[in-house]
Each structure stands twice: as structure tokens, then as C-alpha cells.
């Protein structure tokens, strides 16, 4: 149980029809609630040992767990990424059930909480569905080798790995379109859920993949800080991309303490663009 690959669910239409229906939003789509469980970069905010104005800010919006979102329809709860703060995020939001985890990439700030999936599998007595591309799956099998052992130690998490590519798939009743983005030289998956697109670790997106994002009503993009960075969009780069894609509303995530205090940065942003913060939620009908 939980050690093999299982087939991912078949789409309701042939793939090209599905994509074209999907991009024009004619596919019936369940109402969604998106909750930001974390909006911080890999070190979190505050960062250990730092006395800067952001790390010592009393504003709750300057407390940022590592980036993750919960995507929920009335029937399905999906988690995008399980970083080092995963356990605290589940407790804070009183999440008692997850249908699946979808992973963007294998960096530790996105997978370090996967051991705590054991709480969910303890109650359900079945492996957690984990959607990941081949690079990320290899990392999960390497870093959580004990979850794939033939004779598991009692109490280990169980994962049912579901291989994904850049092709759309169904997770529960939620259609998902993966969007390939680049994190320096590392391929990372962003995900489009109907009118909402979530991209957490990128500094470049190929033109063909941008077409998958266009038409979204809200996009989430990573914006690490104001200064340029080798593998993350800067604040200006993220704003420029929102404008280029002509998406009316955007929330910025994966934020470093170097970006500045939430309240200060908010006043500098153009209309329609905001910083995400932990606990922010959005609903789509
Ligand atoms: Zn700091
Ligand atoms: Zn990250």
C-alpha cells in the first residue's frame, strides 16, 4: 500500500477539447475557496536571529509561514506544497481532512512537512494521494525513503504517488492545469484552478506556458524582494508580468523579510496588486 504509482484520473474529454473548454471556462467548475496557509520565503518571516524592522514588526501580516495554499471545493480539499510549517498550518486552520497534496517542486521549503502527512493517513487508514512531476517524485522517494519501504516502521506516512506532467488532470472534482515555470534552471509547476493561477517559485516563464495563464481573474506570483534575485521574481518583475498577462488582480507571495513591512509595501503597489498574507482567503463561484 502506498508504495506504487497509481493511475491519475481520466479527464472528462479528450485532452485538446479539455484544454480549450477549460481555457474558455466553459467546463463546469466547482466553487472554490483558496486559503493562504503561508506566504513567506524559505526562511520564513521573521527569520531566525534577525532584528530587522520586518522581523520585529508587531503586525500579524508580517508573520509569514513558508508558502502553501489550500484549494477547496465543497467536495475536495487539496493542499499545494507541504513545507516545514505544514503541521502548524494544519493546526492553525483546523484542517481535518485532505484529499491530496500537489507539489510544485522539491525544494525543502515546499516538501519538508511531508512526514506530518502521517496524521492524516493515521485517521484515514489509506495513503495520501501526492501529485508530483518526475523530478519531485524522485526527491520524495529519496528524502522519505522510509515511507516507501517494504516493511515500514509503524507510524510512517503513506504516499500514493500520482505522476503528473504539464497536462491537465482532475484531483477529486477540481480540474487542474499545470503550468511549467523556471526557478533558475529548475523546472517548477505552477497550477491553474479555473479563474485562479498559483505560481510560487519562478523567475522565468516560457511564452507557450503564459498562454495557459492568460484569462485568469487572479494570479499569485512569487515576489521575493525589491532587488533582483537569481531564481525568484523581484517585486518589479512580478508587477510587470501581471501587467503583461493582463490579469486584473494579483497577490504576491513567497515574500522575504527583505521586501519590507506588509503595510509599507502595500501602499507602493499599483491598483489590483496586493501582497498575500497568511490567513488570506479568496472565493470563486
Ligand atoms: Zn529580518
Ligand atoms: Zn520556495
Amino acid at each position: 500500500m502506498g508504495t506504487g504509482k497509481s493511475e491519475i484520473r481520466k479527464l472528462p474529454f479528450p485532452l485538446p477539447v479539455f484544454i480549450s473548454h477549460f481555457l474558455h471556462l466553459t467546463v463546469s467548475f466547482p466553487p472554490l475557496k483558496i486559503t493562504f496557509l503561508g506566504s513567506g520565503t524559505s526562511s520564513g518571516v521573521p527569520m531566525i536571529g534577525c532584528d530587522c524592522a520586518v522581523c520585529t514588526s508587531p503586525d500579524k501580516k508580517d508573520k509569514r509561514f513558508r508558502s502553501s495554499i489550500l484549494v477547496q471545493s465543497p467536495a475536495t480539499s487539496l493542499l499545494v506544497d507541504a513545507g516545514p510549517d505544514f503541521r502548524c498550518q494544519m493546526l492553525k486552520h483546523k484542517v481535518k481532512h485532505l484529499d491530496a497534496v500537489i507539489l510544485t517542486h522539491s525544494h525543502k521549503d515546499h516538501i519538508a512537512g511531508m512526514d506530518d502527512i502521517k496524521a492524516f493517513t493515521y485517521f484515514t487508514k489509506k495513503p495520501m494521494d501526492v501529485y508530483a512531476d518526475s523530478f519531485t517524485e524522485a526527491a520524495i522517494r529519496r528524502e522519505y525513503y522510509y515511507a516507501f519501504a517494504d516493511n515500514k516502521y509503524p507510524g510512517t506516512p503513506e504516499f500514493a504517488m500520482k505522476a503528473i506532467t504539464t497536462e491537465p488532470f482532475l484531483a477529486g472534482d477540481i480540474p487542474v492545469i499545470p503550468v511549467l515555470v523556471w526557478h533558475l534552471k529548475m523546472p517548477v509547476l505552477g497550477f491553474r484552478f479555473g479563474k485562479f493561477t498559483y505560481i510560487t517559485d519562478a523567475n522565468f516563464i516560457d511564452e507557450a506556458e503564459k498562454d495557459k495563464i492568460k484569462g485568469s481573474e487572479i494570479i499569485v506570483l512569487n515576489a521575493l524582494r525589491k532587488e533582483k534575485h537569481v531564481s525568484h521574481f523581484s517585486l518589479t518583475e512580478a508587477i510587470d508580468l501581471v501587467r503583461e498577462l493582463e490579469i486584473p488582480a494579483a497577490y504576491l507571495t513567497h515574500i522575504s523579510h527583505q521586501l519590507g513591512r506588509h503595510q509599507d509595501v502595500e501602499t507602493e503597489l499599483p491598483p489590483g496588486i496586493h501582497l498575500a498574507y497568511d490567513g488570506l482567503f479568496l472565493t470563486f463561484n
Side-chain angles (χ1 to χ4, degrees):
M1 278 241 307
T3 55
K5 269 191 188 178
S6 51
E7 287 289 305
I8 68 165
R9 298 252 310 278
K10 291 276 187 294
L11 298 169
F13 308 102
L15 186 63
V17 177
F18 180 81
I19 293 177
S20 107
H21 275 233
F22 199 89
L23 289 176
H24 295 97
L25 302 174
T26 56
V27 158
S28 74
F29 208 94
L32 288 185
K33 179 181 180 187
I34 311 286
T35 307
F36 287 79
L37 304 174
S39 58
T41 190
S42 61
S43 50
V45 181
M47 189 173 90
I48 294 170
C50 186
D51 295 322
C52 80
V54 177
C55 290
T56 56
S57 164
D59 186 347
K60 281 184 185 160
K61 292 179 179 171
D62 288 317
K63 314 289 181 207
R64 300 184 188 276
F65 280 148
R66 268 54 73 93
S67 294
S68 170
I69 57 168
L70 195 59
V71 179
Q72 294 171 298
S73 73
T76 305
S77 289
L78 307 176
L79 178 80
V80 180
D81 290 335
D85 299 313
F86 169 68
R87 175 177 168 274
C88 295
Q89 290 163 331
M90 294 298 98
L91 292 171
K92 180 176 168 184
H93 291 273
K94 298 183 168 55
V95 179
K96 292 186 172 175
H97 176 80
L98 285 180
D99 292 290
V101 179
I102 304 180
L103 297 173
T104 59
H105 67 303
S106 63
H107 280 163
K108 261 294 166 47
D109 52 325
H110 300 262
I111 67 164
M114 289 295 284
D115 184 75
D116 282 315
I117 290 292
K118 64 193 172 196
F120 291 101
T121 56
Y122 170 82
F123 285 117
T124 61
K125 307 272 187 285
K126 63 183 179 83
M128 177 64 74
D129 287 350
V130 178
Y131 293 87
D133 68 14
S134 56
F135 302 105
T136 307
E137 178 175 344
I140 294 292
R141 287 180 181 275
R142 185 172 64 244
E143 307 216 5
Y144 297 96
Y145 62 92
Y146 52 89
F148 300 94
D150 289 335
N151 294 307
K152 284 195 243 322
Y153 197 81
T156 55
E158 294 203 51
F159 306 133
M161 299 306 298
K162 298 192 170 257
I164 56 172
T165 60
T166 52
E167 296 186 358
F169 63 97
L170 267 179
D173 66 342
I174 302 178
V176 187
I177 299 181
V179 180
L180 175 69
V181 300
W182 294 99
H183 191 29
L184 186 57
K185 291 177 181 171
M186 182 184 207
V188 169
L189 293 179
F191 298 104
R192 180 167 177 176
F193 306 92
K195 302 166 187 170
F196 173 80
T197 298
Y198 181 74
I199 293 169
T200 177
D201 287 56
N203 69 330
F204 186 80
I205 305 176
D206 294 323
E207 291 303 316
E209 293 297 293
K210 286 179 183 172
D211 290 341
K212 293 181 179 175
I213 305 170
K214 287 175 185 165
S216 299
E217 287 183 5
I218 296 187
I219 187 169
V220 175
L221 281 177
N222 57 306
L224 188 78
R225 62 185 191 190
K226 290 177 180 168
E227 297 75 31
K228 204 169 169 53
H229 187 269
V230 68
S231 63
H232 281 281
F233 290 127
S234 67
L235 183 62
T236 307
E237 288 167 343
I239 291 169
D240 288 348
L241 184 56
V242 174
R243 287 182 169 146
E244 180 197 329
L245 296 169
E246 298 181 331
I247 298 173
Y251 288 90
L252 306 177
T253 193
H254 212 289
I255 291 166
S256 158
H257 66 145
Q258 295 169 325
L259 183 62
R261 282 191 296 207
H262 184 94
Q263 207 177 3
D264 297 338
V265 180
E266 271 291 306
T267 62
E268 302 166 9
L269 296 175
I273 302 183
H274 298 279
L275 298 188
Y277 55 88
D278 292 19
L280 168 69
F281 68 89
L282 310 168
T283 55
F284 298 86
N285 282 308

PDB file of all heavy atoms in Angstrom, residues 217-221 238-239 242-243 246-252 266 268-276 280 282:
ATOM      1  N   GLU A 217      -8.543  35.313 -13.629  1.00  0.00           N
ATOM      2  CA  GLU A 217      -9.027  36.542 -12.983  1.00  0.00           C
ATOM      3  C   GLU A 217      -8.103  36.976 -11.859  1.00  0.00           C
ATOM      4  O   GLU A 217      -8.005  38.150 -11.544  1.00  0.00           O
ATOM      5  CB  GLU A 217     -10.443  36.337 -12.428  1.00  0.00           C
ATOM      6  CG  GLU A 217     -11.475  36.283 -13.529  1.00  0.00           C
ATOM      7  CD  GLU A 217     -12.893  36.149 -13.015  1.00  0.00           C
ATOM      8  OE1 GLU A 217     -13.105  36.190 -11.784  1.00  0.00           O
ATOM      9  OE2 GLU A 217     -13.774  35.983 -13.865  1.00  0.00           O
ATOM     10  N   ILE A 218      -7.455  35.987 -11.258  1.00  0.00           N
ATOM     11  CA  ILE A 218      -6.499  36.292 -10.186  1.00  0.00           C
ATOM     12  C   ILE A 218      -5.266  35.424 -10.372  1.00  0.00           C
ATOM     13  O   ILE A 218      -5.375  34.229 -10.657  1.00  0.00           O
ATOM     14  CB  ILE A 218      -7.112  36.033  -8.788  1.00  0.00           C
ATOM     15  CG1 ILE A 218      -8.282  36.988  -8.543  1.00  0.00           C
ATOM     16  CG2 ILE A 218      -6.072  36.174  -7.696  1.00  0.00           C
ATOM     17  CD1 ILE A 218      -8.850  36.947  -7.136  1.00  0.00           C
ATOM     18  N   ILE A 219      -4.103  36.057 -10.237  1.00  0.00           N
ATOM     19  CA  ILE A 219      -2.859  35.280 -10.281  1.00  0.00           C
ATOM     20  C   ILE A 219      -2.088  35.515  -8.982  1.00  0.00           C
ATOM     21  O   ILE A 219      -2.116  36.618  -8.426  1.00  0.00           O
ATOM     22  CB  ILE A 219      -1.988  35.655 -11.507  1.00  0.00           C
ATOM     23  CG1 ILE A 219      -0.785  34.712 -11.607  1.00  0.00           C
ATOM     24  CG2 ILE A 219      -1.544  37.123 -11.459  1.00  0.00           C
ATOM     25  CD1 ILE A 219      -0.014  34.828 -12.910  1.00  0.00           C
ATOM     26  N   VAL A 220      -1.444  34.467  -8.530  1.00  0.00           N
ATOM     27  CA  VAL A 220      -0.488  34.594  -7.433  1.00  0.00           C
ATOM     28  C   VAL A 220       0.891  34.382  -8.025  1.00  0.00           C
ATOM     29  O   VAL A 220       1.114  33.415  -8.763  1.00  0.00           O
ATOM     30  CB  VAL A 220      -0.751  33.542  -6.329  1.00  0.00           C
ATOM     31  CG1 VAL A 220       0.325  33.612  -5.258  1.00  0.00           C
ATOM     32  CG2 VAL A 220      -2.120  33.764  -5.724  1.00  0.00           C
ATOM     33  N   LEU A 221       1.785  35.310  -7.747  1.00  0.00           N
ATOM     34  CA  LEU A 221       3.169  35.195  -8.224  1.00  0.00           C
ATOM     35  C   LEU A 221       4.109  35.395  -7.045  1.00  0.00           C
ATOM     36  O   LEU A 221       3.808  36.154  -6.122  1.00  0.00           O
ATOM     37  CB  LEU A 221       3.480  36.287  -9.250  1.00  0.00           C
ATOM     38  CG  LEU A 221       2.994  36.106 -10.676  1.00  0.00           C
ATOM     39  CD1 LEU A 221       3.360  37.355 -11.474  1.00  0.00           C
ATOM     40  CD2 LEU A 221       3.621  34.864 -11.324  1.00  0.00           C
ATOM     41  N   ALA A 238       7.574  40.898 -10.947  1.00  0.00           N
ATOM     42  CA  ALA A 238       6.252  40.283 -10.741  1.00  0.00           C
ATOM     43  C   ALA A 238       5.147  41.231 -11.215  1.00  0.00           C
ATOM     44  O   ALA A 238       4.215  40.815 -11.908  1.00  0.00           O
ATOM     45  CB  ALA A 238       6.063  39.923  -9.266  1.00  0.00           C
ATOM     46  N   ILE A 239       5.268  42.514 -10.869  1.00  0.00           N
ATOM     47  CA  ILE A 239       4.255  43.506 -11.290  1.00  0.00           C
ATOM     48  C   ILE A 239       4.223  43.605 -12.815  1.00  0.00           C
ATOM     49  O   ILE A 239       3.145  43.619 -13.426  1.00  0.00           O
ATOM     50  CB  ILE A 239       4.555  44.876 -10.651  1.00  0.00           C
ATOM     51  CG1 ILE A 239       4.320  44.810  -9.139  1.00  0.00           C
ATOM     52  CG2 ILE A 239       3.705  45.979 -11.289  1.00  0.00           C
ATOM     53  CD1 ILE A 239       4.836  46.016  -8.370  1.00  0.00           C
ATOM     54  N   VAL A 242       2.367  40.597 -14.267  1.00  0.00           N
ATOM     55  CA  VAL A 242       0.904  40.694 -14.087  1.00  0.00           C
ATOM     56  C   VAL A 242       0.329  41.585 -15.178  1.00  0.00           C
ATOM     57  O   VAL A 242      -0.684  41.264 -15.802  1.00  0.00           O
ATOM     58  CB  VAL A 242       0.550  41.275 -12.690  1.00  0.00           C
ATOM     59  CG1 VAL A 242      -0.952  41.514 -12.569  1.00  0.00           C
ATOM     60  CG2 VAL A 242       1.032  40.340 -11.587  1.00  0.00           C
ATOM     61  N   ARG A 243       0.997  42.702 -15.448  1.00  0.00           N
ATOM     62  CA  ARG A 243       0.517  43.632 -16.484  1.00  0.00           C
ATOM     63  C   ARG A 243       0.605  43.012 -17.867  1.00  0.00           C
ATOM     64  O   ARG A 243      -0.318  43.118 -18.670  1.00  0.00           O
ATOM     65  CB  ARG A 243       1.331  44.916 -16.437  1.00  0.00           C
ATOM     66  CG  ARG A 243       0.964  45.762 -15.233  1.00  0.00           C
ATOM     67  CD  ARG A 243       1.745  47.040 -15.245  1.00  0.00           C
ATOM     68  NE  ARG A 243       1.247  47.979 -14.254  1.00  0.00           N
ATOM     69  CZ  ARG A 243       2.018  48.816 -13.585  1.00  0.00           C
ATOM     70  NH1 ARG A 243       3.325  48.824 -13.790  1.00  0.00           N
ATOM     71  NH2 ARG A 243       1.498  49.647 -12.716  1.00  0.00           N
ATOM     72  N   GLU A 246      -2.061  40.711 -18.478  1.00  0.00           N
ATOM     73  CA  GLU A 246      -3.359  41.424 -18.422  1.00  0.00           C
ATOM     74  C   GLU A 246      -4.346  40.754 -17.473  1.00  0.00           C
ATOM     75  O   GLU A 246      -5.519  40.578 -17.792  1.00  0.00           O
ATOM     76  CB  GLU A 246      -3.957  41.560 -19.830  1.00  0.00           C
ATOM     77  CG  GLU A 246      -3.065  42.379 -20.747  1.00  0.00           C
ATOM     78  CD  GLU A 246      -3.643  42.550 -22.148  1.00  0.00           C
ATOM     79  OE1 GLU A 246      -4.391  41.661 -22.583  1.00  0.00           O
ATOM     80  OE2 GLU A 246      -3.340  43.568 -22.778  1.00  0.00           O
ATOM     81  N   ILE A 247      -3.833  40.367 -16.309  1.00  0.00           N
ATOM     82  CA  ILE A 247      -4.693  39.762 -15.289  1.00  0.00           C
ATOM     83  C   ILE A 247      -5.100  40.869 -14.305  1.00  0.00           C
ATOM     84  O   ILE A 247      -4.250  41.600 -13.806  1.00  0.00           O
ATOM     85  CB  ILE A 247      -3.961  38.601 -14.587  1.00  0.00           C
ATOM     86  CG1 ILE A 247      -3.654  37.529 -15.644  1.00  0.00           C
ATOM     87  CG2 ILE A 247      -4.808  38.026 -13.447  1.00  0.00           C
ATOM     88  CD1 ILE A 247      -2.804  36.408 -15.185  1.00  0.00           C
ATOM     89  N   PRO A 248      -6.415  41.010 -14.077  1.00  0.00           N
ATOM     90  CA  PRO A 248      -6.885  42.183 -13.322  1.00  0.00           C
ATOM     91  C   PRO A 248      -6.479  42.218 -11.850  1.00  0.00           C
ATOM     92  O   PRO A 248      -6.401  43.288 -11.263  1.00  0.00           O
ATOM     93  CB  PRO A 248      -8.412  42.108 -13.461  1.00  0.00           C
ATOM     94  CG  PRO A 248      -8.719  40.708 -13.888  1.00  0.00           C
ATOM     95  CD  PRO A 248      -7.524  40.212 -14.619  1.00  0.00           C
ATOM     96  N   ALA A 249      -6.248  41.056 -11.250  1.00  0.00           N
ATOM     97  CA  ALA A 249      -5.924  41.067  -9.817  1.00  0.00           C
ATOM     98  C   ALA A 249      -4.782  40.097  -9.526  1.00  0.00           C
ATOM     99  O   ALA A 249      -4.704  39.025 -10.133  1.00  0.00           O
ATOM    100  CB  ALA A 249      -7.150  40.678  -8.995  1.00  0.00           C
ATOM    101  N   ALA A 250      -3.922  40.494  -8.610  1.00  0.00           N
ATOM    102  CA  ALA A 250      -2.775  39.642  -8.283  1.00  0.00           C
ATOM    103  C   ALA A 250      -2.444  39.744  -6.801  1.00  0.00           C
ATOM    104  O   ALA A 250      -2.637  40.790  -6.172  1.00  0.00           O
ATOM    105  CB  ALA A 250      -1.562  40.056  -9.101  1.00  0.00           C
ATOM    106  N   TYR A 251      -1.976  38.627  -6.271  1.00  0.00           N
ATOM    107  CA  TYR A 251      -1.429  38.591  -4.917  1.00  0.00           C
ATOM    108  C   TYR A 251      -0.011  38.061  -4.997  1.00  0.00           C
ATOM    109  O   TYR A 251       0.249  37.087  -5.713  1.00  0.00           O
ATOM    110  CB  TYR A 251      -2.287  37.695  -4.005  1.00  0.00           C
ATOM    111  CG  TYR A 251      -3.611  38.330  -3.677  1.00  0.00           C
ATOM    112  CD1 TYR A 251      -4.722  38.112  -4.494  1.00  0.00           C
ATOM    113  CD2 TYR A 251      -3.744  39.182  -2.589  1.00  0.00           C
ATOM    114  CE1 TYR A 251      -5.940  38.719  -4.215  1.00  0.00           C
ATOM    115  CE2 TYR A 251      -4.955  39.790  -2.299  1.00  0.00           C
ATOM    116  CZ  TYR A 251      -6.046  39.561  -3.116  1.00  0.00           C
ATOM    117  OH  TYR A 251      -7.236  40.177  -2.840  1.00  0.00           O
ATOM    118  N   LEU A 252       0.890  38.697  -4.278  1.00  0.00           N
ATOM    119  CA  LEU A 252       2.302  38.303  -4.321  1.00  0.00           C
ATOM    120  C   LEU A 252       2.634  37.486  -3.085  1.00  0.00           C
ATOM    121  O   LEU A 252       2.170  37.791  -1.979  1.00  0.00           O
ATOM    122  CB  LEU A 252       3.174  39.558  -4.409  1.00  0.00           C
ATOM    123  CG  LEU A 252       2.786  40.482  -5.572  1.00  0.00           C
ATOM    124  CD1 LEU A 252       3.632  41.752  -5.570  1.00  0.00           C
ATOM    125  CD2 LEU A 252       2.909  39.752  -6.920  1.00  0.00           C
ATOM    126  N   GLU A 266       2.367  47.584   0.715  1.00  0.00           N
ATOM    127  CA  GLU A 266       1.007  47.677   0.163  1.00  0.00           C
ATOM    128  C   GLU A 266       0.739  49.063  -0.434  1.00  0.00           C
ATOM    129  O   GLU A 266       0.103  49.183  -1.478  1.00  0.00           O
ATOM    130  CB  GLU A 266      -0.029  47.404   1.268  1.00  0.00           C
ATOM    131  CG  GLU A 266      -0.415  45.944   1.429  1.00  0.00           C
ATOM    132  CD  GLU A 266      -1.225  45.396   0.259  1.00  0.00           C
ATOM    133  OE1 GLU A 266      -2.265  45.970  -0.114  1.00  0.00           O
ATOM    134  OE2 GLU A 266      -0.788  44.382  -0.303  1.00  0.00           O
ATOM    135  N   GLU A 268       2.714  50.992  -1.831  1.00  0.00           N
ATOM    136  CA  GLU A 268       3.527  51.265  -3.027  1.00  0.00           C
ATOM    137  C   GLU A 268       3.020  50.502  -4.251  1.00  0.00           C
ATOM    138  O   GLU A 268       3.515  50.695  -5.353  1.00  0.00           O
ATOM    139  CB  GLU A 268       4.986  50.832  -2.770  1.00  0.00           C
ATOM    140  CG  GLU A 268       5.646  51.509  -1.590  1.00  0.00           C
ATOM    141  CD  GLU A 268       6.942  50.807  -1.176  1.00  0.00           C
ATOM    142  OE1 GLU A 268       7.416  49.909  -1.906  1.00  0.00           O
ATOM    143  OE2 GLU A 268       7.474  51.159  -0.101  1.00  0.00           O
ATOM    144  N   LEU A 269       2.057  49.593  -4.053  1.00  0.00           N
ATOM    145  CA  LEU A 269       1.665  48.704  -5.154  1.00  0.00           C
ATOM    146  C   LEU A 269       0.606  49.341  -6.050  1.00  0.00           C
ATOM    147  O   LEU A 269      -0.243  50.101  -5.576  1.00  0.00           O
ATOM    148  CB  LEU A 269       1.124  47.382  -4.590  1.00  0.00           C
ATOM    149  CG  LEU A 269       2.139  46.539  -3.816  1.00  0.00           C
ATOM    150  CD1 LEU A 269       1.461  45.315  -3.197  1.00  0.00           C
ATOM    151  CD2 LEU A 269       3.289  46.108  -4.704  1.00  0.00           C
ATOM    152  N   PRO A 270       0.636  49.005  -7.359  1.00  0.00           N
ATOM    153  CA  PRO A 270      -0.382  49.533  -8.264  1.00  0.00           C
ATOM    154  C   PRO A 270      -1.756  48.935  -7.967  1.00  0.00           C
ATOM    155  O   PRO A 270      -1.849  47.896  -7.287  1.00  0.00           O
ATOM    156  CB  PRO A 270       0.105  49.084  -9.656  1.00  0.00           C
ATOM    157  CG  PRO A 270       1.299  48.252  -9.467  1.00  0.00           C
ATOM    158  CD  PRO A 270       1.618  48.140  -8.023  1.00  0.00           C
ATOM    159  N   PRO A 271      -2.833  49.566  -8.470  1.00  0.00           N
ATOM    160  CA  PRO A 271      -4.185  49.051  -8.221  1.00  0.00           C
ATOM    161  C   PRO A 271      -4.322  47.597  -8.666  1.00  0.00           C
ATOM    162  O   PRO A 271      -3.779  47.204  -9.699  1.00  0.00           O
ATOM    163  CB  PRO A 271      -5.082  49.951  -9.088  1.00  0.00           C
ATOM    164  CG  PRO A 271      -4.280  51.155  -9.380  1.00  0.00           C
ATOM    165  CD  PRO A 271      -2.835  50.759  -9.316  1.00  0.00           C
ATOM    166  N   GLY A 272      -5.021  46.810  -7.878  1.00  0.00           N
ATOM    167  CA  GLY A 272      -5.272  45.408  -8.246  1.00  0.00           C
ATOM    168  C   GLY A 272      -4.189  44.454  -7.780  1.00  0.00           C
ATOM    169  O   GLY A 272      -4.359  43.240  -7.835  1.00  0.00           O
ATOM    170  N   ILE A 273      -3.053  44.988  -7.337  1.00  0.00           N
ATOM    171  CA  ILE A 273      -1.955  44.108  -6.901  1.00  0.00           C
ATOM    172  C   ILE A 273      -1.733  44.295  -5.400  1.00  0.00           C
ATOM    173  O   ILE A 273      -1.628  45.415  -4.904  1.00  0.00           O
ATOM    174  CB  ILE A 273      -0.660  44.394  -7.698  1.00  0.00           C
ATOM    175  CG1 ILE A 273      -0.932  44.200  -9.192  1.00  0.00           C
ATOM    176  CG2 ILE A 273       0.477  43.496  -7.219  1.00  0.00           C
ATOM    177  CD1 ILE A 273       0.283  44.391 -10.085  1.00  0.00           C
ATOM    178  N   HIS A 274      -1.705  43.165  -4.707  1.00  0.00           N
ATOM    179  CA  HIS A 274      -1.550  43.194  -3.249  1.00  0.00           C
ATOM    180  C   HIS A 274      -0.521  42.158  -2.813  1.00  0.00           C
ATOM    181  O   HIS A 274      -0.244  41.211  -3.551  1.00  0.00           O
ATOM    182  CB  HIS A 274      -2.877  42.846  -2.562  1.00  0.00           C
ATOM    183  CG  HIS A 274      -3.958  43.825  -2.862  1.00  0.00           C
ATOM    184  ND1 HIS A 274      -4.087  45.023  -2.216  1.00  0.00           N
ATOM    185  CD2 HIS A 274      -4.962  43.781  -3.783  1.00  0.00           C
ATOM    186  CE1 HIS A 274      -5.122  45.684  -2.693  1.00  0.00           C
ATOM    187  NE2 HIS A 274      -5.677  44.963  -3.651  1.00  0.00           N
ATOM    188  N   LEU A 275      -0.019  42.336  -1.611  1.00  0.00           N
ATOM    189  CA  LEU A 275       0.772  41.265  -1.011  1.00  0.00           C
ATOM    190  C   LEU A 275      -0.201  40.261  -0.405  1.00  0.00           C
ATOM    191  O   LEU A 275      -1.187  40.644   0.226  1.00  0.00           O
ATOM    192  CB  LEU A 275       1.680  41.798   0.097  1.00  0.00           C
ATOM    193  CG  LEU A 275       2.751  42.822  -0.296  1.00  0.00           C
ATOM    194  CD1 LEU A 275       3.676  43.070   0.898  1.00  0.00           C
ATOM    195  CD2 LEU A 275       3.556  42.359  -1.510  1.00  0.00           C
ATOM    196  N   ALA A 276       0.092  38.985  -0.596  1.00  0.00           N
ATOM    197  CA  ALA A 276      -0.662  37.959   0.133  1.00  0.00           C
ATOM    198  C   ALA A 276      -0.231  38.029   1.594  1.00  0.00           C
ATOM    199  O   ALA A 276       0.780  38.650   1.929  1.00  0.00           O
ATOM    200  CB  ALA A 276      -0.377  36.585  -0.441  1.00  0.00           C
ATOM    201  N   LEU A 280      -5.157  34.893   4.491  1.00  0.00           N
ATOM    202  CA  LEU A 280      -5.980  35.480   3.424  1.00  0.00           C
ATOM    203  C   LEU A 280      -6.737  34.366   2.699  1.00  0.00           C
ATOM    204  O   LEU A 280      -6.171  33.308   2.428  1.00  0.00           O
ATOM    205  CB  LEU A 280      -5.071  36.200   2.422  1.00  0.00           C
ATOM    206  CG  LEU A 280      -5.686  36.640   1.094  1.00  0.00           C
ATOM    207  CD1 LEU A 280      -6.694  37.769   1.278  1.00  0.00           C
ATOM    208  CD2 LEU A 280      -4.579  37.086   0.114  1.00  0.00           C
ATOM    209  N   LEU A 282      -9.703  33.582  -0.607  1.00  0.00           N
ATOM    210  CA  LEU A 282     -10.409  34.082  -1.782  1.00  0.00           C
ATOM    211  C   LEU A 282     -11.464  33.048  -2.133  1.00  0.00           C
ATOM    212  O   LEU A 282     -11.233  31.856  -1.970  1.00  0.00           O
ATOM    213  CB  LEU A 282      -9.447  34.209  -2.976  1.00  0.00           C
ATOM    214  CG  LEU A 282      -8.137  34.958  -2.734  1.00  0.00           C
ATOM    215  CD1 LEU A 282      -7.182  34.733  -3.912  1.00  0.00           C
ATOM    216  CD2 LEU A 282      -8.405  36.450  -2.566  1.00  0.00           C
TER     217      LEU A 282
END
